[in-house]
Amino acid sequence: MQSQLNKILEEAKAQLEKARTQAETDEIRVKILGKKGELTQILRGMGKLSPEERKETGQMANKVRSEVENMLNEKFEAVKKAAKEAQFKIEKIDVTEPGKSRTLGVKHPLTITMEEISKVFMNMGFSIVEGPEVETVFNNFDALNAGPNHPARDMTDTFYITEDVLLRTQTSPVQVRTLLKQDPPIKVISPGRCFRCDTPDATHSPMFHQIEGLVVDEGITMADLKGTLDSFAKQLFGPETKTKFRPHHFPFTEPSAEVDVSCFKCGGKGCRVCKGSGWIEILGCGMVHPNVLKVGGLDTEKYTGFAFGMGVERVAMLKYGVDDIRLFYENDMRFINQFK
Ligand code: DAH
C-alpha cells in the first residue's frame, strides 16, 4: 500500500509536469483526489489494515495528499498566470502605431446658405418654425386663397398623395399652420424642402428648398416689408446692395411684389450673372391677403401682415456662381468640398 502511495506521488509529479492548461490540471486533481480518485480509494481501503499499519499508512497517505494538493495548487496558479499572459500578448495595443485618418465632413452649400439667411433674420428678431413636407391640400392651397381652380393646383405641377394630401409645393402652408397655432405678434421664418413635378434641368429640380417669412401684428405696413427685405439684402449680399420691388401676383398676398437686388457681381453695370440687366430677382413677397388672416381667425381690421418666400437654391447658385442646380444633389465630393 505504501508503495502504491509512492507511485501515486511519482505519477502525479510526472503528469503535472506535462499539464499545460487549467482543465488538464483539474483532470489530474479528479483522477487522484476525486470521489473515485486513486488516493481516495486507498484511504477507503485502510479499514482492512491492522491498527499499527493503519497509523503508519494513514500518516503517509495524509502526507502524500497534502503534497499532491500543494503541487496541484502551484501548477494551477502557474497555468492560470501563463494563460493571462498569453491573453495580454494577444490584446496588446501598440499605442505608437499611426492612427486611421478620418476625413472631416463639410457643410453642404445649401445648408450654409440656409444658415446664413436664417441668421440674418434671427438677428432681426425672427424665430424659426417648421412644417411637414407632406401637407394637406387645404394648407397648401385653399387656406392660401388658391381656390379649386387655381392653376398651381394642376396635377402636372403637384405631387398628390391622395385627393386631399400632397407633397407641399411651397413653404407657404407653414404660414397657415402658424396663424392657426399662434396669436400676433407673429414674426417667423420657416426653411424647408418643397416638391414640384418638374423635369430636372439646369434650373429645375423636383425637390428644392424655400425659406418662408411671416410677420403679423397691429399696424404692419408695406414700409415694414420693404425695410425688412432691404435690410436683409444688404446683410446677405453686401451694404452697397439696392433693392427694387416690382408688382407681381400671388394668391395669398395683396398687393404682391417680386424683389430684385442690384447685381452683387457687377454692382448694376450688367454682366453674365445678371444677364446684362444689373438686377437679380431673389424673392416673392406681399401684404398677407385678408382671406389668409381670416383662416387664423384674426380681425382683419385690427391686424395686418407681410410675407415673403425665396428659393434657397437660387440664392446659393447666385452667391457661389453655380450654373446647374443638379450639382447640389449629386453629392460629388469634388463639388461639395469647395465650400469648406
Ligand atoms: N410661395 C411662393 C412660391 O413658391 C413664394 C412666395 C411669394 C411666398 C410671396 C410668400 C409670398 O410668402 O408672400 O412661388
Side-chain angles (χ1 to χ4, degrees):
M1 206 168 254
Q2 296 189 358
S3 70
Q4 255 177 308
L5 285 170
N6 274 328
K7 204 174 144 221
I8 288 173
L9 189 60
E10 289 312 311
E11 265 176 22
K13 258 188 206 160
Q15 283 172 5
L16 278 174
E17 194 80 29
K18 282 188 238 151
R20 289 286 165 267
T21 65
Q22 293 179 33
E24 279 168 14
T25 320
D26 271 337
E27 235 170 71
I28 298 168
R29 183 191 298 276
V30 171
K31 202 170 140 239
I32 302 170
L33 300 176
K35 261 192 202 150
K36 289 182 186 153
E38 291 161 9
L39 191 62
T40 318
Q41 299 289 356
I42 289 179
L43 289 170
R44 281 209 187 118
M46 283 205 326
K48 291 179 205 134
L49 298 175
S50 66
E52 296 86 58
E53 270 180 320
R54 200 186 301 161
K55 191 178 167 207
E56 208 180 313
T57 315
Q59 276 176 352
M60 190 170 168
N62 280 337
K63 206 173 137 234
V64 169
R65 182 166 56 190
S66 72
E67 244 178 84
V68 171
E69 269 173 358
N70 283 344
M71 283 187 330
L72 276 164
N73 289 344
E74 246 172 59
K75 187 69 191 188
F76 193 80
E77 286 309 315
V79 290
K80 201 166 126 185
K81 199 172 151 211
K84 219 178 199 174
E85 272 166 13
Q87 189 67 21
F88 283 157
K89 222 175 229 171
I90 295 167
E91 288 175 359
K92 192 171 140 188
I93 296 167
D94 181 358
V95 291
T96 63
E97 252 186 29
K100 285 192 189 123
S101 72
R102 280 170 204 271
T103 47
L104 200 58
V106 295
K107 275 187 188 166
H108 192 278
L110 291 177
T111 307
I112 298 173
T113 308
M114 262 193 287
E115 284 180 356
E116 247 178 83
I117 295 170
S118 301
K119 209 166 126 196
V120 172
F121 283 111
M122 279 179 352
N123 286 342
M124 292 197 270
F126 284 74
S127 41
I128 295 183
V129 291
E130 279 186 77
E133 290 161 15
V134 177
E135 255 298 2
T136 58
V137 172
F138 178 80
N139 284 349
N140 195 84
F141 291 130
D142 298 273
L144 287 166
N145 203 31
N149 295 319
H150 197 274
R153 295 178 72 140
D154 202 322
M155 282 292 273
T156 53
D157 289 324
T158 307
F159 289 112
Y160 281 91
I161 291 169
T162 66
E163 213 175 297
D164 307 316
V165 179
L166 44 66
L167 294 183
R168 65 178 178 191
T169 60
Q170 49 188 357
T171 43
S172 304
V174 185
Q175 287 190 33
V176 178
R177 289 179 175 270
T178 307
L179 284 166
L180 287 169
K181 204 160 43 188
Q182 202 179 318
D183 291 326
I186 291 170
K187 198 173 178 188
V188 297
I189 54 163
S190 186
R193 274 194 197 108
C194 306
F195 306 85
R196 279 182 209 178
C197 211
D198 278 329
T199 309
D201 63 25
T203 53
H204 292 87
S205 159
M207 188 278 292
F208 56 97
H209 298 75
Q210 285 190 342
I211 293 188
E212 192 77 15
L214 176 68
V215 175
V216 180
D217 201 357
E218 286 180 54
I220 298 288
T221 69
M222 190 91 183
D224 298 308
L225 164 66
K226 290 187 74 175
T228 303
L229 294 179
D230 186 73
S231 168
F232 159 72
K234 286 181 165 56
Q235 290 180 67
L236 192 71
F237 296 112
E240 309 301 321
T241 310
K242 291 198 256 326
T243 50
K244 184 165 80 174
F245 289 69
R246 272 185 295 103
H248 200 76
H249 173 265
F250 297 105
F252 36 85
T253 44
E254 181 59 37
S256 304
E258 271 189 337
V259 176
D260 295 347
V261 294
S262 56
C263 180
F264 46 83
K265 192 89 183 186
C266 64
K269 285 190 218 65
C271 69
R272 220 170 64 95
V273 173
C274 59
K275 299 200 180 86
S277 73
W279 294 96
I280 298 169
E281 180 225 313
I282 58 153
L283 57 82
C285 63
M287 299 305 290
V288 182
H289 197 291
N291 287 351
V292 178
L293 293 175
K294 275 181 206 155
V295 173
L298 294 182
D299 177 353
T300 53
E301 291 300 317
K302 190 172 167 196
Y303 292 108
T304 49
F306 68 80
F308 56 89
M310 73 187 90
V312 179
E313 278 80 354
R314 187 170 161 73
V315 174
M317 286 170 84
L318 291 167
K319 263 195 92 135
Y320 297 118
V322 175
D323 56 10
D324 194 321
I325 195 170
R326 289 169 291 195
L327 286 165
F328 290 127
Y329 314 115
E330 280 164 0
N331 283 335
D332 185 335
M333 290 313 286
R334 289 169 301 181
F335 172 72
I336 305 229
N337 274 330
Q338 293 177 52
F339 300 90
K340 259 182 205 166

